[in-house]
Every structure is written in C-alpha cells, then in structure tokens.
Amino acid sequence: MKYQNLNEAVETLKKLEQTMAAYNHVLGVLYLDATTVAPKGTAEGRGQTMGIMSGIVYDLIANPDNGELLTYLESHKEELDAQTKREVEVFRKQYDQYHKIPQGEYIAYNVLINDAQSVWEKAKNTNDFELFAPYLEKIVDYNRKFAGYYNEKLAPYDALLNEYEEGLTMKTLDAFFAQLRETIVPLVSKIQNTKPINAEFLNKNYPIEKQREFSDYLMDVLGMDRNYAGIGETEHPYTTNFNNKDVRITTHYYENALDSSMYSVIHEAGHAIYELDCDDCYNYTFLAGGVSMGIHESQSRFYENLIGRSYEFISYIYPKMQELFMEQLADVSAEDFYKAVNKVQPSLIRTEADELTYCLHIMVRYELEKKLIDGSLKVKDIPRQWNRLYKEYLGIDVPDDTRGCLQDSHWSGGSIGYFPSYALGSAYGPQMLDAMKKEIRDVMVQVKNGNLMPMRNWLKEHFHKYACFFKPRQLFNRTCGKFDAKYYTDYLKDKFTKLYDL
Amino acid sequence: MKYQNLNEAVETLKKLEQTMAAYNHVLGVLYLDATTVAPKGTAEGRGQTMGIMSGIVYDLIANPDNGELLTYLESHKEELDAQTKREVEVFRKQYDQYHKIPQGEYIAYNVLINDAQSVWEKAKNTNDFELFAPYLEKIVDYNRKFAGYYNEKLAPYDALLNEYEEGLTMKTLDAFFAQLRETIVPLVSKIQNTKPINAEFLNKNYPIEKQREFSDYLMDVLGMDRNYAGIGETEHPYTTNFNNKDVRITTHYYENALDSSMYSVIHEAGHAIYELDCDDCYNYTFLAGGVSMGIHESQSRFYENLIGRSYEFISYIYPKMQELFMEQLADVSAEDFYKAVNKVQPSLIRTEADELTYCLHIMVRYELEKKLIDGSLKVKDIPRQWNRLYKEYLGIDVPDDTRGCLQDSHWSGGSIGYFPSYALGSAYGPQMLDAMKKEIRDVMVQVKNGNLMPMRNWLKEHFHKYACFFKPRQLFNRTCGKFDAKYYTDYLKDKFTKLYDL
C-alpha cells in the first residue's frame, strides 16, 4: 500500500483510531454486562464472542499495512500537528507490541489467560496454590519473553513496568520504596503502641438500599454528572469508560461494612472524573483516556484519601450520613468516624488495607515480581516468600494462601508490573496537592464546605484535559516538578502523627 | 476468490456466520446497555460506535465475495446437508437486502435510529410530537426506499411486512382485520352494556420492591432458568438474546398498576422461552433464534393470554400473590382478579389494552403505516389521524400525544410493518392451542397445577427447537395446518361471552 500524500495517510490513521475506539467500546460494554447483570451461565457464549472480537482487534492493529503507514507518517513527523504526532507515537508503541509478538504466541497467551482466571478463582476458593502454580509459571515465562519483544534494551522487569507507567524503572522504585519503608515502618510500630481506635461501628448492619442512597449522595457531592456517569454493582469495584461522556463506576455493597462501598465509590469517582474531564479532541483517538496506571491511581487515591479520608470531607457529609444511618451512627461523632476510617492496622488483604500500611502490601508484590522475572524466584516458592515478607514488612502471619499470595487477580490476568503503579499513584497525590495549594490556598476549607469544584477544575486544567497527550512523567513534571517521594512521606507523617497524637 | 472445493466454501460460510453472531452479540449488548443502565447523556458516543459497527457489519454481509460464495454454494445445493442448505437460503436473503442498500444509506440510517430513540423518549415525556416529527419523516423515507431495495416487485408496505413475516401482505391483513373487526366490534359494544367489572384494586399502591419479588416468582413458575435468563428494567419491555443460553427480558414497574409489569414479564418470558429452547445446532449460525415476528408474538401472547390470563393460571399463582400483596389483595378473590385482568375497556395505551380490544390498537397503527409508506399520509398529520381512528375504532378521545401517537417505541426504532405481527401472533395462538390439545388433553388442568412443562415441551418439539430451519408459514402449517383466523375469533367469542355472561 502506498500513500498518495500525507492527508491520505493521516485519514487512514484517524479512521483506524475511530474503529479501534468502537471495538474498545463494545468490548467494554460486554465486560460491563458480564460483571454486572449477565446471568451466571452465560460465559460460554460471551467467550465465543470475545474470542472472535479479540482476533479481529489483533488483526486490526498487527496488520502489516500499519507498519507501512507508521513508517510513512514517521518520515513526515515534522509536518504533523502536535496531537497527530503524539498519536503516531502511541500507535507505534501499540503496533510494536502486537506485531513483535508472533500471532501464535499471542493467541496461546490469551487462551492461557482465559483459563488461568478460572483456575485462579478455584485455587483461591480452595486455598490450593499448587493448582494455580503451573499456570502462573507459564504466565511468568510469557511475560519474560514479551518483555524482550517490548524493549530488548531494558531489563525484562523494567520493560514490563514501562507498559503500565512509561519510563518507570526498578532503580526508581527501589529508591522510592526504601524511602517509604523508612517512614512507614517506624510510624506503624509507634502506632501499635498507642490505644487502638474504635472502628467497630463500621461493621454494624447498614441496609444495602440505604447504602445505595448514600452512593447517589456521594456521586452528587463529588460532582459526578449522572447524565454521563453511571453506577453499577459488581464483585470487585472498577471504572470503565467508553468515551469522555460515558463513564461507569461500580461498587460492591456489604451489609456489615459501611466504609467498603463508601470508599470504593469515592475511589472510582476519582478515576471517573479523570476520564470525564479529558478534552473532547482526544475522543476516538489513541490519546483518549487517562495516560497511565500511575497517574490514574493518583486521581482515584487523591479523591479517596486526600479528600475522602480528610476530617474536612467527613465533617461536610456527616449530617447526611447521620440522617441516612440514624440508628447506626447515633452516638458516633464525625471525629469518631474520621478516626475509624483512618485506623492503622497491619492486615492481610491489600484492598482492605489502611492508607498507611497500603504501600507495604505493594512492596511485597514488587519484591516477588522482580525476582520472578529475573528468574531468582521460582513460582513454587512464592507462598513461602510471600509469607516471609508479610511477616517482615507488616509483622503479621499469613494463615493461608487464599488470604496470602492468591488474593489478587492481577497475576492470573497476566498483569505483572502493574502493582507498583498503585504505590506510585498514592505518592503522586500529595505532591499534586502541594502544587494545587499554591493556586488554591484554602483547599481544605473548600472541602469542608463541600465545594470540590475548584480542585477538580485545577486537576482538569493541569492533568485531566490532556488525556494521553503528554507522557506520564512529562505531564507530572510540567506542573509538579520532579517527582519526590518526600511529599508523600511528609504527608503520611503529618497525618498519622496528629491522628494518633504521637 | 475461487473455492478449491465445497468444504472450503462451507467453512467460509460457517466462519462468516460465527463472526456475524459475534457482532450481533456486541450490538445487542450495546442496545441492552443503552436501554437499561446507560446514563441519559451517552447516546452520542454510542451513536459513533453503532455507526462504525454497522458499517463493518454491512461490509461483512454486503462484501461482493459473498456473492461469489453464495453462487458457488447454490450451485452445489444438492450436496449440502439440510441445515447448511437453509443457511445458504437465509444468507441469500440477507445478502440481497444489504447488497442493495448503499453503504452510506445503511450507516446514516443506523445513526439516525440511535438519535431518534432518545429524541422520541424526550418527545414522549414532554408531549412534543413536533420534536420527533423530523426524525420520523426521515425514518419513513428510509423505509420506503429500503422497501424498494428489499423487493422492488412488491408494494413498498408489502415489502416491509415481508421483513417481519415472510409472505405477509396487505391483502391478507385487510381480510384478516376485517374478520377480526366483525367479531370484536359487536362483542365490545355488547360488553359495554353490561355491568362493568371492578378492576380498581389493580391500581392500589404496589411497592416496586415487592413487584420485583413477584417477577422473580413468575420467572420461576414459567420455568425460566436464571442461569441463562436475566431480567432488567427499561422504559418499554422487550426481550433480546445473544445465543440460546443467554436471553434477557426487561419490564417496567409502575407503583399503581400491578398488572402492567406482571403481564409484561409473562409476555417477554414467552419470547425468551422460544429463544432458550432453540436447538444448540443453530447457535452462531444464520438460523439462530425465532423465525419471524409473527411466530415470536404467538409465543409471547400464548404465555401472556392463553396461559397467563386464564382462570387456571391465576388460581395457581394467587396464594403467592396474596402473600406478597397481603393488604392490597386481602378482600380480592382469584376470580375477582381473573375478571379484572380480563376486563374489556377501550383504552388509550396498546400495551395495557385488554385481550379483546388489543387488535383494534394494531389496526390503527396498520392503517397509518400503510398510508405513511404509500405517501398518502404526512408525518405531521399523524396525531390528527391517530386520534380520529382511536375515536372510530375504540370510541375514545385521545387527550395528548404522549398517550397517543408517541406511546410506542417501534417507529423511533425504525420498525415499520412490525405491528401487524402482534395481531397475527395473537391469532396463531388459539390454533396452536387446538393442535396442542390433541396431544395434551388436560392442558388447562396442568396450568391449574402450575405444571407448565408439558406445554413448553410441546411448543419446543413443534416450534421452538427448529429456530429458523423452516420458513414461518411452513413451521406453522406442518403442525397446525393452514392458518385460519376462525380459531382466534371463536376463542375470543367463547372467552368473553362466558366472562361477561352475554
């Protein structure tokens, strides 16, 4: 295929981008259906459809004509407008990824992942790591191999990290995590010598109908425009978006854990707001949506922790909470509630961890992943090493693999190198807040008045609206300067020293 | 493209069928999402995706290679197994239809339909026909044009009727409706001279949560396996299916109309059972699913009217109803309830019409559609003509377009020529019941015992399992003989003469 002129090549690119967006939309809706309302027995037919659709998507991207198109566009790089130039860059990355993986391996890997997910679920439910181990071995092997395809110049684990957060390396993470450990470990041990916070009232009975009403209220407070943002219910909460005017979050209600759904709604709303506030010009292009897992997590955790777990936010929403849960919260003050949802308590399950110990859970996974990929850790030894690290980092004994190394779905889904972006996202937040405070001096006063728009607008102007136009590091640095974990460690020290009166 | 041998051609066909099934699946899920949970403001992005996807589907079917494939397969017709032979036949019909519609028109039409649905909803809610009129004008124009593409030898409206019920013509319908009118009109006027049945208790307050529970109960009684059949909520109830193990029905709950959701659930369950009971061998082929709208409606109305509105069925479910709606139905007997849900009362809304006057609603739409398509009625004149016909056929005044010509979603969805299949389906039922009774003598005794399986199995053996293997008329005739509206008119006369003691 030859292009007559640049216009023709650009048009071909734009058309491909729109087509990809349409496939992403329908595959996203299929997943949304599967996880929300689809009857339990319908997986087989959906599997058939997913198989066919992902084959089509593979062909669409890996099509050798695209190589020619890319080469042509790259050779005319200087004539392209800035957005198209960046679209070409992102497309190149995607094309190389697909194209360098031989189709046979790509398909075999997808079949493996599909099988691995149900095996993992079974292994988790029956505490049977050995059942899952052979699948995980293969997944690790593939990921090591793919890392070479992605970027043969990088160490394999760096190449994987780069998939989730462009430019992230082990060198950065080692230093980052060391710095975190230095702050968190002594703080946690100091806290463990104080009088424990009472958080039992969070586990009273909170009727689900009322919790749903509460979610609607939270969506309003967070400024989620219900014309473009929906909320559903799934086993594990997540956010998905089809374009910047169609975003869905999900949550899971537990009758005996008010904070579980409450904070998943606020967390997912953070993701959703990022997607909703991307500029229209990126819709249906390769630049649509949030730029990286790290930046995305920074937004969800900004809303969840910096806003949602602040005393100011809780004091603003508390009258409504007491109205909805009159009986349950009758003798609980806003301050009691604030303390309860910030209670520090080393625990087994990452997704239920408090803000302070959360990153320790990530470090365990990071240490294991690094070694799995460099070959110094065998899959069969994961449980022992997992338990050792939980003891070392969190001081707790892991009673079984269900609540240990089998708890997360990421590895069974093929995501290795993803976990660190959770910690990175947490750490980005306080540095963003610092930059924000230079322009909005009374951030926490605004929060206390329930007026979240100034902060949202600031995030939009500096981050959200750019979608994938900048690389994640570029996007961060242009507003916040070089990343420095000190903002995060200072924030944690300050918050928990005051909270626990250390 | 040349085929080496028949196997290769058949494989190409089967692969195309599977691919089409996958696209139908994702487009179906997109529609389900749009009508159930999608936020109101998300139509634009979905329109974009629908446009692209329907372009792809168009290419997939209208692809000239398919013409060659079809010619090759048709020339080897006698070597094909019966199922593949029929697949080729159905494919030929589809190919000719698509192939004749220029791609630009096909895509523009699909985008129009997506827009029209949200405009119609708004127009209906605000009683603003003028808002919807320009969309409907375009839909009518497209349908008139498409009718010519489908079959230029037929009158345009006959060509449209043929889409929903192969072989159906205005000539047949004119005679059929005349025969119905002869039975229904005198019956209705006789009934209007009797003491009215009390049905006011149906409009007491029935909490929606309780109605949802009632729906679940009805699904159980009707034998809907919840592993494969889901229930959702939409403005307008419907059934959709992605394969024979993934069927979804929807309903709409009104706090002050118990029978509305009750009978929509039973009606849609009739559609769903048809889909669930198609043979596996037709999954992912062009023969999957119900064969025509008329046969489909015969199944939904069989369940809704012949079973669901029988005294036997009501007496079976009544204890559960009294348990769920203790207060509301305390002093209402099963017989009172039976009478109330069969009360004849010319009314405004088709979907809430009683069994006897239902077809009069269809006749109004039929008369208008005929004239819209032959050009003798302008869209802007629909409200006036609608209201005139309601006065003439049902003797009632239409107070506004919301309860008049804006009540149905069909036209906004592009379905013109669909309504008559409701009447036809209603009329098929009693003739099927007659055939059924020759093999199951105690049909209504079984219903009274809540044992619906013998009837479902009979319907499966004679109709459902064949999916689209037979043409609709063939399918009907091989079990019931030639269609004769007399079975239906006799049934109506018998039922309502007894009910009203005429």
Side-chain angles (χ1 to χ4, degrees):
Chain A
M1 196 195 288
K2 289 279 183 300
Y3 297 95
Q4 300 290 323
N5 53 50
L6 188 57
N7 268 354
E8 197 188 310
V10 169
E11 253 172 51
T12 306
L13 171 72
K14 303 280 174 179
K15 191 155 180 247
L16 178 66
E17 294 185 86
Q18 287 170 15
T19 306
M20 273 302 298
Y23 280 102
N24 286 336
H25 187 169
V26 298
L27 286 168
V29 173
L30 213 56
Y31 182 76
L32 185 72
D33 175 62
T35 51
T36 52
V37 299
K40 290 278 166 257
T42 59
E44 192 189 318
R46 198 161 36 250
Q48 163 98 2
T49 295
M50 290 255 190
I52 289 171
M53 286 289 149
S54 49
I56 293 170
V57 167
Y58 178 88
D59 286 343
L60 206 60
I61 291 287
N63 178 359
D65 288 349
N66 291 339
E68 215 172 320
L69 174 63
L70 273 166
T71 308
Y72 183 88
L73 288 168
E74 283 161 346
S75 72
H76 292 76
K77 208 158 92 175
E78 297 318 316
E79 298 158 59
L80 298 173
D81 62 71
Q83 179 176 335
T84 308
K85 206 155 130 186
R86 173 72 176 144
E87 285 166 22
V88 170
E89 201 174 87
V90 171
F91 182 26
R92 164 60 72 191
K93 196 177 165 197
Q94 280 193 28
Y95 174 73
D96 283 352
Q97 273 170 21
Y98 276 76
H99 194 246
K100 287 177 180 169
I101 301 176
Q103 196 186 13
E105 284 181 30
Y106 179 84
I107 291 169
Y109 181 66
N110 276 285
V111 170
L112 171 67
I113 291 301
N114 189 52
D115 295 346
Q117 276 163 314
S118 48
V119 172
W120 162 73
E121 231 176 275
K122 201 175 163 197
K124 181 181 171 180
N125 289 335
T126 57
N127 185 34
D128 184 357
F129 182 76
E130 273 181 37
L131 182 70
F132 179 51
Y135 291 83
L136 184 52
E137 268 163 26
K138 282 185 202 150
I139 288 171
V140 170
D141 287 347
Y142 271 114
N143 270 274
R144 198 182 299 119
K145 208 188 271 183
F146 291 172
Y149 297 145
Y150 296 155
N151 193 331
E152 52 186 358
K153 288 177 218 147
L154 296 178
Y157 192 61
D158 278 347
L160 296 177
L161 288 172
N162 189 53
E163 288 307 292
Y164 301 106
E165 193 70 14
E166 226 174 324
L168 187 63
T169 62
M170 289 183 276
K171 199 180 154 202
T172 310
L173 283 174
D174 285 338
F176 169 56
F177 284 133
Q179 203 175 344
L180 283 194
R181 221 169 8 233
E182 265 171 45
T183 304
I184 295 173
V185 172
L187 259 178
V188 171
S189 78
K190 263 195 228 171
I191 286 168
Q192 287 190 303
N193 292 324
T194 64
K195 184 168 163 261
I197 285 171
N198 172 28
E200 274 175 18
F201 57 83
L202 293 173
N203 307 119
K204 287 182 181 172
N205 188 288
Y206 294 88
I208 285 171
E209 253 325 303
K210 285 280 171 194
Q211 290 198 51
R212 287 195 184 110
E213 232 179 283
F214 182 39
S215 292
D216 285 335
Y217 167 75
L218 285 173
M219 298 272 281
D220 287 347
V221 171
L222 296 165
M224 299 271 281
D225 184 340
R226 297 300 287 268
N227 277 309
Y228 307 117
I231 179 167
E233 292 172 35
T234 53
E235 182 60 31
H236 303 286
Y238 67 87
T239 298
T240 187
N241 73 298
F242 309 132
N243 52 68
N244 73 345
K245 287 188 189 61
D246 191 350
V247 180
R248 320 292 177 89
I249 71 168
T250 73
T251 186
H252 189 114
Y253 296 104
Y254 298 94
E255 244 174 21
N256 295 304
L258 175 60
D259 53 329
S260 172
S261 164
M262 170 178 174
Y263 283 102
S264 77
V265 167
I266 302 175
H267 179 100
E268 302 307 332
H271 285 302
I273 285 168
Y274 188 2
E275 295 294 341
L276 288 164
D277 285 351
C278 289
D279 253 13
D280 287 350
C281 65
Y282 303 116
N283 266 339
Y284 320 124
T285 75
F286 290 137
L287 308 188
V291 68
S292 71
M293 293 326 305
I295 301 286
H296 237 305
E297 279 301 315
S298 78
Q299 297 312 290
S300 54
R301 302 189 88 75
F302 192 97
Y303 274 89
E304 179 189 345
N305 292 329
L306 304 189
I307 293 178
R309 290 189 205 271
S310 70
Y311 176 70
E312 290 82 356
F313 183 75
I314 288 165
S315 75
Y316 175 72
I317 64 170
Y318 210 65
K320 180 68 182 183
M321 294 188 71
Q322 283 195 315
E323 183 194 315
L324 282 169
F325 307 110
M326 212 178 295
E327 256 175 60
Q328 299 90 329
L329 298 178
D331 52 1
V332 176
S333 69
E335 176 139 8
D336 296 337
F337 195 89
Y338 164 68
K339 286 190 171 172
V341 297
N342 284 294
K343 179 178 179 166
V344 174
Q345 174 97 66
S347 65
L348 288 165
I349 308 295
R350 177 184 61 84
T351 57
E352 292 163 17
D354 59 81
E355 192 179 355
L356 186 62
T357 61
Y358 184 84
C359 285
L360 301 173
H361 293 260
I362 299 303
M363 290 178 211
V364 171
R365 289 151 178 82
Y366 170 66
E367 293 302 330
L368 298 178
E369 284 189 346
K370 264 201 312 191
K371 290 181 178 155
L372 278 171
I373 295 297
D374 77 17
S376 63
L377 173 65
K378 298 262 170 288
V379 165
K380 69 173 171 47
D381 296 325
I382 289 176
R384 204 159 40 89
Q385 293 305 321
W386 179 285
N387 300 353
R388 187 184 61 78
L389 287 167
Y390 262 76
K391 187 73 185 174
E392 186 183 326
Y393 292 0
L394 287 126
I396 57 171
D397 295 308
V398 178
D400 51 47
D401 295 334
T402 298
R403 284 171 286 180
C405 61
L406 285 171
Q407 67 180 266
D408 297 306
S409 65
H410 299 60
W411 292 343
S412 72
S415 301
I416 299 182
Y418 185 117
F419 283 119
S421 55
Y422 287 126
L424 202 65
S426 301
Y428 283 156
Q431 194 167 347
M432 288 175 181
L433 183 61
D434 184 79
M436 185 189 276
K437 281 180 174 170
K438 286 175 189 148
E439 293 178 39
I440 309 170
R441 296 207 170 270
D442 55 351
V443 169
M444 296 320 286
V445 177
Q446 299 279 9
V447 171
K448 193 166 183 144
N449 294 327
N451 183 18
L452 304 182
M453 279 315 282
M455 286 72 85
R456 175 167 173 177
N457 285 335
W458 188 91
L459 289 169
K460 177 174 178 175
E461 281 314 306
H462 292 84
F463 293 91
H464 301 172
K465 75 173 187 185
Y466 293 109
C468 298
F469 182 74
F470 294 112
K471 290 185 187 179
R473 198 186 300 171
Q474 240 181 323
L475 179 67
F476 185 84
N477 291 359
R478 61 194 291 283
T479 296
C480 301
K482 198 167 175 296
F483 171 66
D484 184 347
K486 202 173 172 306
Y487 292 91
Y488 183 43
T489 52
D490 282 352
Y491 157 80
L492 290 175
K493 264 187 278 188
D494 182 58
K495 175 167 182 174
F496 289 97
T497 302
K498 280 183 189 147
L499 188 83
Y500 276 93
D501 211 3
L502 298 175
Chain B
M1 197 197 289
K2 288 278 182 303
Y3 297 96
Q4 300 289 325
N5 53 50
L6 188 55
N7 269 355
E8 197 188 310
V10 169
E11 253 171 51
T12 306
L13 171 72
K14 302 280 174 178
K15 189 152 182 249
L16 178 67
E17 293 185 87
Q18 286 169 16
T19 306
M20 272 302 297
Y23 280 102
N24 286 335
H25 187 169
V26 297
L27 287 168
V29 172
L30 213 55
Y31 182 76
L32 184 71
D33 175 62
T35 51
T36 52
V37 299
K40 291 277 167 257
T42 58
E44 192 188 319
R46 199 161 36 251
Q48 164 97 3
T49 295
M50 291 254 190
I52 289 170
M53 285 289 146
S54 49
I56 293 169
V57 166
Y58 175 90
D59 284 343
L60 206 61
I61 292 286
N63 178 359
D65 289 348
N66 291 338
E68 214 173 319
L69 174 63
L70 273 166
T71 308
Y72 182 88
L73 288 167
E74 283 161 348
S75 72
H76 292 75
K77 208 157 93 176
E78 297 318 315
E79 298 158 58
L80 299 173
D81 62 71
Q83 179 176 333
T84 307
K85 204 155 129 185
R86 173 72 176 143
E87 284 166 21
V88 170
E89 200 174 270
V90 170
F91 183 25
R92 164 59 73 190
K93 196 179 165 197
Q94 280 192 28
Y95 174 72
D96 283 351
Q97 273 170 22
Y98 275 75
H99 195 242
K100 288 173 183 169
I101 300 176
Q103 191 190 20
E105 285 182 28
Y106 180 82
I107 293 171
Y109 180 66
N110 277 284
V111 171
L112 171 66
I113 291 301
N114 183 58
D115 294 344
Q117 277 162 315
S118 47
V119 172
W120 161 74
E121 229 176 279
K122 201 174 163 198
K124 181 180 169 180
N125 288 336
T126 56
N127 186 35
D128 185 357
F129 183 76
E130 272 180 38
L131 181 71
F132 179 52
Y135 290 83
L136 184 52
E137 267 163 28
K138 282 184 203 151
I139 289 171
V140 169
D141 287 347
Y142 270 115
N143 269 275
R144 196 183 299 119
K145 209 187 271 183
F146 290 173
Y149 297 146
Y150 296 155
N151 193 331
E152 54 186 357
K153 288 179 218 142
L154 295 179
Y157 192 61
D158 278 347
L160 295 177
L161 289 173
N162 189 54
E163 288 306 293
Y164 299 107
E165 194 70 15
E166 226 175 323
L168 187 63
T169 62
M170 288 185 274
K171 198 179 156 203
T172 310
L173 282 175
D174 285 339
F176 170 56
F177 283 134
Q179 201 177 343
L180 283 195
R181 223 172 3 236
E182 267 171 41
T183 304
I184 294 172
V185 172
L187 259 177
V188 172
S189 79
K190 260 198 227 167
I191 286 167
Q192 287 189 303
N193 292 325
T194 64
K195 184 166 162 265
I197 286 172
N198 173 26
E200 273 175 20
F201 57 84
L202 293 174
N203 307 117
K204 286 183 181 172
N205 188 288
Y206 294 88
I208 285 172
E209 255 325 303
K210 285 279 171 195
Q211 291 198 52
R212 288 196 184 108
E213 231 181 285
F214 183 38
S215 292
D216 285 334
Y217 167 75
L218 286 172
M219 299 272 280
D220 287 347
V221 171
L222 296 164
M224 299 270 280
D225 185 341
R226 297 299 287 270
N227 276 310
Y228 308 117
I231 178 166
E233 293 173 34
T234 52
E235 179 61 32
H236 194 91
Y238 68 86
T239 299
T240 187
N241 74 298
F242 309 131
N243 52 69
N244 75 344
K245 286 186 190 63
D246 191 350
V247 180
R248 320 292 178 89
I249 71 168
T250 73
T251 185
H252 190 116
Y253 296 105
Y254 297 94
E255 231 168 16
N256 295 304
L258 175 60
D259 53 330
S260 172
S261 164
M262 170 180 175
Y263 282 103
S264 79
V265 167
I266 303 175
H267 178 100
E268 301 307 333
H271 285 303
I273 285 166
Y274 187 2
E275 295 293 341
L276 289 164
D277 285 351
C278 289
D279 255 11
D280 287 348
C281 64
Y282 303 117
N283 266 339
Y284 320 123
T285 75
F286 290 137
L287 308 189
V291 67
S292 71
M293 295 326 306
I295 301 285
H296 237 305
E297 279 302 316
S298 77
Q299 298 312 290
S300 54
R301 303 192 86 74
F302 192 97
Y303 273 89
E304 178 188 347
N305 292 329
L306 305 189
I307 293 180
R309 290 188 205 272
S310 70
Y311 176 70
E312 289 82 355
F313 184 75
I314 287 164
S315 74
Y316 176 73
I317 64 168
Y318 209 64
K320 180 70 183 182
M321 293 188 72
Q322 283 193 316
E323 183 194 316
L324 280 169
F325 307 110
M326 211 178 294
E327 256 175 59
Q328 299 91 330
L329 298 178
D331 52 1
V332 176
S333 70
E335 175 138 9
D336 295 337
F337 195 89
Y338 164 68
K339 285 190 173 172
V341 296
N342 283 293
K343 178 177 180 167
V344 174
Q345 173 97 65
S347 66
L348 287 165
I349 308 295
R350 176 183 62 84
T351 56
E352 291 163 17
D354 58 81
E355 195 179 350
L356 187 62
T357 60
Y358 183 85
C359 285
L360 301 174
H361 292 259
I362 298 303
M363 290 177 210
V364 171
R365 288 151 179 81
Y366 170 65
E367 293 302 330
L368 297 178
E369 285 189 344
K370 268 202 307 193
K371 288 181 182 156
L372 278 171
I373 294 298
D374 76 17
S376 63
L377 173 66
K378 297 262 169 289
V379 164
K380 71 173 171 49
D381 296 325
I382 289 177
R384 203 158 41 89
Q385 292 305 320
W386 179 285
N387 300 353
R388 188 183 62 75
L389 287 168
Y390 262 76
K391 188 73 185 175
E392 187 184 325
Y393 291 0
L394 287 125
I396 58 171
D397 294 307
V398 177
D400 52 49
D401 295 335
T402 297
R403 286 171 284 181
C405 60
L406 284 170
Q407 67 181 263
D408 297 307
S409 66
H410 299 62
W411 292 343
S412 74
S415 301
I416 299 181
Y418 184 119
F419 282 119
S421 55
Y422 287 125
L424 202 65
S426 300
Y428 283 155
Q431 193 167 346
M432 287 177 181
L433 184 59
D434 185 79
M436 185 190 277
K437 281 180 172 167
K438 285 173 187 146
E439 292 177 39
I440 310 170
R441 294 207 173 272
D442 55 351
V443 169
M444 297 320 285
V445 176
Q446 299 279 10
V447 171
K448 193 166 184 145
N449 294 327
N451 183 17
L452 305 182
M453 280 314 283
M455 285 73 84
R456 176 168 171 175
N457 285 335
W458 187 91
L459 290 168
K460 179 175 178 173
E461 281 312 307
H462 292 84
F463 292 91
H464 301 172
K465 75 173 187 185
Y466 293 110
C468 298
F469 183 75
F470 295 113
K471 289 186 186 178
R473 201 184 298 172
Q474 239 182 324
L475 179 68
F476 185 86
N477 291 359
R478 62 194 289 282
T479 296
C480 301
K482 199 170 174 296
F483 170 67
D484 184 348
K486 206 174 169 306
Y487 289 91
Y488 184 43
T489 53
D490 283 352
Y491 158 80
L492 290 175
K493 263 188 278 189
D494 181 58
K495 173 167 182 172
F496 290 96
T497 303
K498 280 183 188 147
L499 188 84
Y500 275 94
D501 210 4
L502 298 177

